Amino acid sequence: MPVRIVGAVGLSALMLLTAGCAGGPGAGRTQAGASEAVTPAKPLPMKAIPRPATWTGSDDKAHRLRITPTRLARGSDSDLVHIQLDDDLKGMVPYYLTFSYTNTGKKTVRDVDPARNFSVNGADGRAAEQVALFGSNPMATGSGEPPECRESGEAELTAGATAAICQIFMLPKDQRPATVSYRDDGGDTLIWQVGGGKGGAAAGMLPAGRPADGITEDSRRRPVSLRITPKGVRTGSLADLSRFDLDADDKKLIPYYVTMQYRNTGRYDLLPSMSDGVTLRTTGGQTVQKLTLIDIGGPGVGRCPDAVPHTMVKPGGTVTECSIHLLPKGDAPAAVVFDGEVAGSEQVTWRASVDDRT
């Protein structure tokens, strides 16, 4: 997960500006020796299990690391009293992820930055906003970091060396972490569960299989209401897609099939293409769009047909559609989301329950 830095070009994510960036030396900072009330962060249950990982260094070579999240703690709003938050971060809760990383290879690794690959995720698969503190005033006292999160890491590790770093993540108050994940440069996703991986009931997420109302558009962009019923999420196989020309990266992934039933409760006919609005959120904090396969006149994918029946869906009519989503190894579905992309309408989100019995 990249982090935007002031003045950098081509990077994306959220940033924090320390209040010392304006107003002269020491503005918005706590001066040396000044007393400051600190609310201790609350550690969350998470097993600090070391995992082997791969890091691609500045030499474009793969280097072996050992990654270990050692602590995830819930902070307090008071921790950020000296920080100028972006508007969309205000009211969120800070979580502090501390992890260690060890060079298990035989050569020195340079420009190591594993923090950007970490994610803290809710039960609905939404990734927390990873943020970085930036202080442009070298005369200011203090670094601006919350006292619970000051491990700064090392950009260069000799063989066998270990460093630790703390990264700040922001989640809405009604959401709690369910997993910590790491997107390995080797292509896999490493997952550590937080508190058993449940994360509580995510706000707005429906149980798997519960019917719900949604909105889509017809071919003339007129809104059409739907009654949507998730029918299941199944693990697929790359062998099912052997007829199609997948690129090398796609062949490293695992297909999942999401089946949904749509009933046209509106006034206009619909093309059977509602699955275009389906995305799959993962336990690793990724949002995975539908895979588009070109198969004009072909048999399609037998285990995941585009639409049954494959005809216009008239008012009162029903169609069942299946969409294919490719996930990295180690990751898993967390939530199914439908978004008809109609102005003023909201996404509908269900808990994903993978059932391979059918």
Side-chain angles (χ1 to χ4, degrees):
M1 179 180 290
V3 179
R4 186 191 310 165
I5 304 298
V6 172
V9 178
L11 300 179
S12 60
L14 275 288
M15 68 166 223
L16 297 176
L17 292 176
T18 64
C21 291
R29 304 292 189 101
T30 300
Q31 298 299 321
S35 61
E36 181 182 72
V38 176
T39 303
K42 180 181 179 181
L44 303 179
M46 178 183 64
K47 292 184 179 180
I49 301 173
R51 300 278 176 80
T54 303
W55 175 263
T56 303
S58 55
D59 55 4
D60 292 328
K61 294 181 180 179
H63 299 272
R64 290 178 297 168
L65 298 179
R66 183 171 62 247
I67 302 286
T68 311
T70 55
R71 183 175 185 261
L72 179 66
R74 186 186 192 276
S76 168
D77 293 346
S78 62
D79 298 345
L80 307 179
V81 67
H82 300 304
I83 307 299
Q84 181 182 332
L85 292 168
D86 289 347
D87 288 343
D88 54 355
L89 293 178
K90 292 178 180 178
M92 289 191 177
V93 177
Y95 287 84
Y96 308 129
L97 175 67
T98 304
F99 62 91
S100 66
Y101 51 106
T102 301
N103 179 2
T104 57
K106 297 180 179 180
K107 297 182 179 180
T108 296
V109 184
R110 295 176 174 83
D111 300 325
V112 188
D113 186 19
R116 69 187 188 194
N117 289 7
F118 268 102
S119 180
V120 174
N121 318 295
D124 62 355
R126 283 189 295 176
E129 298 288 356
Q130 183 179 155
V131 299
L133 302 180
F134 178 80
S136 64
N137 186 352
M139 300 299 294
T141 301
S143 60
E145 300 98 332
E148 294 274 0
C149 195
R150 286 184 174 171
E151 293 85 349
S152 57
E154 297 290 342
E156 181 174 309
L157 289 181
T158 57
T162 297
I165 191 170
C166 182
Q167 184 64 45
I168 305 173
F169 294 85
M170 304 289 286
L171 278 171
K173 290 183 177 179
D174 59 3
Q175 190 176 7
R176 288 183 292 166
T179 64
V180 169
S181 61
Y182 181 83
R183 295 184 64 180
D184 187 56
D185 282 355
D188 295 353
T189 299
L190 310 179
I191 301 288
W192 293 264
Q193 291 190 345
V194 179
K198 301 301 181 182
M205 185 164 64
L206 301 172
R210 176 177 293 182
D213 294 323
I215 300 177
T216 188
E217 290 182 337
D218 70 355
S219 58
R220 296 173 60 182
R221 302 188 67 82
R222 295 175 295 190
V224 181
S225 58
L226 297 169
R227 186 67 171 172
I228 309 170
T229 305
K231 290 298 184 179
V233 180
R234 294 171 296 148
T235 309
S237 168
L238 285 176
D240 300 338
L241 312 178
S242 59
R243 295 178 46 251
F244 301 92
D245 186 18
L246 301 179
D247 62 33
D249 288 337
D250 286 344
K251 291 179 180 178
K252 299 176 183 178
L253 306 177
I254 298 175
Y256 283 84
Y257 306 143
V258 179
T259 302
M260 310 278 278
Q261 183 185 81
Y262 305 91
R263 180 161 59 90
N264 184 345
T265 57
R267 300 168 52 195
Y268 309 110
D269 293 358
L270 289 172
L271 289 168
S273 59
M274 278 71 80
S275 64
D276 291 345
V278 174
T279 56
L280 199 59
R281 292 205 200 112
T282 76
T283 57
Q286 299 187 55
T287 298
V288 183
Q289 305 293 328
K290 169 187 174 181
L291 176 66
T292 301
L293 299 172
I294 300 176
D295 189 34
I296 300 174
V301 179
R303 294 186 61 198
C304 189
D306 286 340
V308 180
H310 202 278
T311 59
M312 293 293 289
V313 187
K314 297 184 176 299
T318 299
V319 65
T320 298
E321 299 182 46
C322 181
S323 56
I324 302 172
H325 307 261
L326 299 179
L327 274 62
K329 293 179 181 179
D331 212 340
V336 177
V337 181
F338 176 81
D339 187 350
E341 296 186 344
V342 177
S345 66
E346 296 184 355
Q347 293 180 340
V348 188
T349 305
W350 297 266
R351 184 179 296 277
S353 179
V354 179
D355 186 352
D356 292 325
R357 293 176 296 175
T358 58

